[in-house]
Amino acid sequence: MKARTSDRASYTDDDRTLPQVWVLQGHRTGDNLQVQALADGLGWPWASKTLEWQKRLPRWTPLYGRSAHLNHLTPKARGAFAPPWPDLVLSIGWRSVPVTRWIKSQCNARLVHLGRPRAPLAPFDLVLTTPQYRLPDSPNVVQLSGPLTAMSPDMLTASAAAWAPQLADLPGPWTAVLVGGDTPTLRFPSEAADVLAAACNRHAAQNQGALLIATSPRTPARVTEILRQSITAPSFFHVWHKDADNPYAAFLKLADQFIVTNDSISMTQEAALTGRPLHIFPLTSQDRWRDSAMRSLDGKLRRGDSAIARVYLRMIREGVLYPPKSPSDYFQALLRDGRAAMLGKPGARGQNVPVLPETEAAVQAVRALFETTHATQTGNT
């Protein structure tokens, strides 16, 4: 079924036999792609509702997340929230929480949130989260191994067919090198680019194959230049540009192995979901001491079954506190499960069984929510 993406979708009579979905979208492209992927995976008719803000949002988010209103939206954005009401609301990011709760107050829609709401968990029918957010176990919390991906099999196949002729002369096996860049907690200095280039040359020589290299919007120009000058192995080098076709999806389909920098969980997850050997290249941490101390304190407070741990986890569930974000938890889980290894270390063996994509796992969880509700309603009649 085609997705409905206009702000005011008009549904057919056949569509009305299926749950109607509103997808709340904000200012982050990656977040929007995740909720769209979930909506497309469900196959139910959906309408996009764009969140545009006119007021500066409060700094203390636990109080913000306890409210139910549209006060911070622009008049145009508020006008999109009107009957007919949906059966399901998909949201992501803490900014959307008062909007989702307001919609719930107008109708009986189910609320499904991706990531971490920074608010009480109880109002949501499902919270689909990942290890980096450190949310405690709860009946309505589903722990996914990583973020949802918008990469469909058809998209990968089409991209591979388009790019394969340009790669045909390269010797196999192929290793895709997916290069990121600086983040608030990681940086990509020139020295790291030198180390990565040397490691890629060694890897290609050991495997007697070629490298498929792609940079990203965050890759510093100096890093790109160092890699281009220093990588001497047979390779295809693509420099990201907003107006240029991107072979990233083709690389995901065609590569036999992957080398990925650890600045992007989404990029790493998409490589991991192929089930092929994955090597992680660590960038230089510039974590602030306060963030590091908060993660350490979080680990100590939730340890064991003490009264302190129970109170602390309850405060997180009730939205009084929210744990510090820890992207390293995602990578540690990959390494612990044998789904990846640090570049140059043994262990990146890939998986012998197909991986359940997180999008499919999320779709199953949402469908189960509606099947449970339908069964309950049927039993009460």
Side-chain angles (χ1 to χ4, degrees):
M1 172 172 295
K2 290 185 178 180
R4 307 280 187 170
T5 56
S6 63
D7 277 346
R8 289 187 180 276
S10 58
Y11 303 113
T12 67
D13 291 339
D14 289 340
D15 287 339
R16 280 297 174 190
T17 65
L18 298 171
Q20 309 301 300
V21 184
W22 281 2
V23 176
L24 305 191
Q25 303 197 77
H27 65 294
R28 292 184 175 176
T29 301
D31 287 352
N32 293 340
L33 289 175
Q34 287 196 60
V35 286
Q36 289 175 21
L38 178 54
D40 285 337
L42 287 167
W44 299 336
W46 59 272
S48 172
K49 303 294 180 179
T50 301
L51 305 181
E52 296 177 346
W53 312 102
Q54 68 168 346
K55 296 182 179 180
R56 186 172 182 175
L57 301 184
R59 295 175 63 89
W60 197 57
T61 55
L63 182 60
Y64 172 83
R66 291 179 178 276
S67 57
H69 59 75
L70 306 180
N71 296 346
H72 290 87
L73 295 180
T74 63
K76 178 182 177 181
R78 287 199 298 269
F81 296 96
W85 301 112
D87 303 295
L88 170 66
V89 178
L90 303 180
S91 59
I92 189 169
W94 61 269
R95 294 170 179 83
S96 67
V97 172
V99 179
T100 62
R101 299 189 67 169
W102 181 87
I103 297 170
K104 180 77 170 181
S105 72
Q106 307 299 309
C107 60
N108 195 34
R110 305 296 186 267
L111 304 183
V112 175
H113 190 86
L114 276 64
R116 176 183 62 178
R118 297 192 189 180
L121 302 180
F124 296 95
D125 296 274
L126 278 179
V127 176
L128 304 171
T129 192
T130 54
Q132 74 196 77
Y133 294 117
R134 294 187 170 189
L135 290 186
D137 292 337
S138 187
N140 63 334
V141 172
V142 174
Q143 296 283 350
L144 304 174
S145 69
L148 276 59
T149 173
M151 294 287 179
S152 68
D154 289 345
M155 183 187 302
L156 297 178
T157 299
S159 183
W163 284 92
Q166 299 184 55
L167 310 175
D169 294 337
L170 293 172
W174 294 343
T175 299
V177 183
L178 308 179
V179 185
D182 297 338
T183 73
T185 58
L186 296 169
R187 53 187 189 87
F188 205 152
S190 299
E191 310 86 74
D194 290 328
V195 173
L196 176 59
C200 286
N201 285 331
R202 288 194 300 271
H203 180 89
Q206 292 168 359
N207 288 273
Q208 300 181 334
L211 306 173
L212 310 180
I213 306 165
T215 64
S216 75
R218 284 203 306 269
T219 307
R222 54 179 169 70
V223 168
T224 298
E225 191 58 30
I226 290 172
L227 295 178
R228 295 188 74 161
Q229 292 183 5
S230 301
I231 291 180
T232 56
S235 62
F236 178 92
F237 202 115
H238 175 79
V239 179
W240 184 90
H241 189 278
K242 65 178 181 178
D243 297 322
D245 290 339
N246 195 332
Y248 174 78
F251 289 2
L252 288 175
K253 178 70 174 180
L254 297 171
D256 301 288
Q257 298 188 51
F258 297 90
I259 296 172
V260 184
T261 56
N262 71 330
D263 57 291
S264 171
I265 291 179
S266 294
M267 187 166 66
T268 306
Q269 177 74 354
E270 286 169 345
L273 289 175
T274 67
R276 295 172 226 139
L278 170 60
H279 311 266
I280 306 297
F281 180 77
L283 301 185
T284 302
S285 174
Q286 56 178 7
D287 212 359
R288 294 177 298 180
W289 69 267
R290 184 183 63 182
D291 296 330
S292 181
M294 288 296 293
R295 283 194 291 272
S296 176
L297 178 61
D298 173 72
K300 293 177 181 178
L301 288 175
R302 67 172 66 218
R303 190 172 300 145
D305 190 35
S306 66
I308 292 177
R310 291 194 296 271
V311 170
Y312 176 64
L313 295 178
R314 181 177 177 179
M315 293 177 74
I316 294 175
R317 294 186 185 100
E318 294 182 355
V320 178
L321 300 173
Y322 60 89
K325 186 177 177 181
S326 180
S328 64
D329 285 10
Y330 166 78
F331 291 96
Q332 289 171 5
L334 277 183
L335 298 172
R336 184 175 60 250
D337 296 341
R339 300 175 63 197
M342 301 306 294
L343 181 58
K345 303 293 183 181
R349 61 181 183 275
Q351 295 185 309
N352 297 323
V353 295
V355 180
L356 178 67
E358 295 311 295
T359 303
E360 183 178 340
V363 165
Q364 290 182 4
V366 176
R367 286 186 174 276
L369 172 67
F370 275 79
E371 289 168 2
T372 301
T373 301
H374 176 73
T376 301
Q377 292 173 344
T378 303
N380 290 338
T381 58

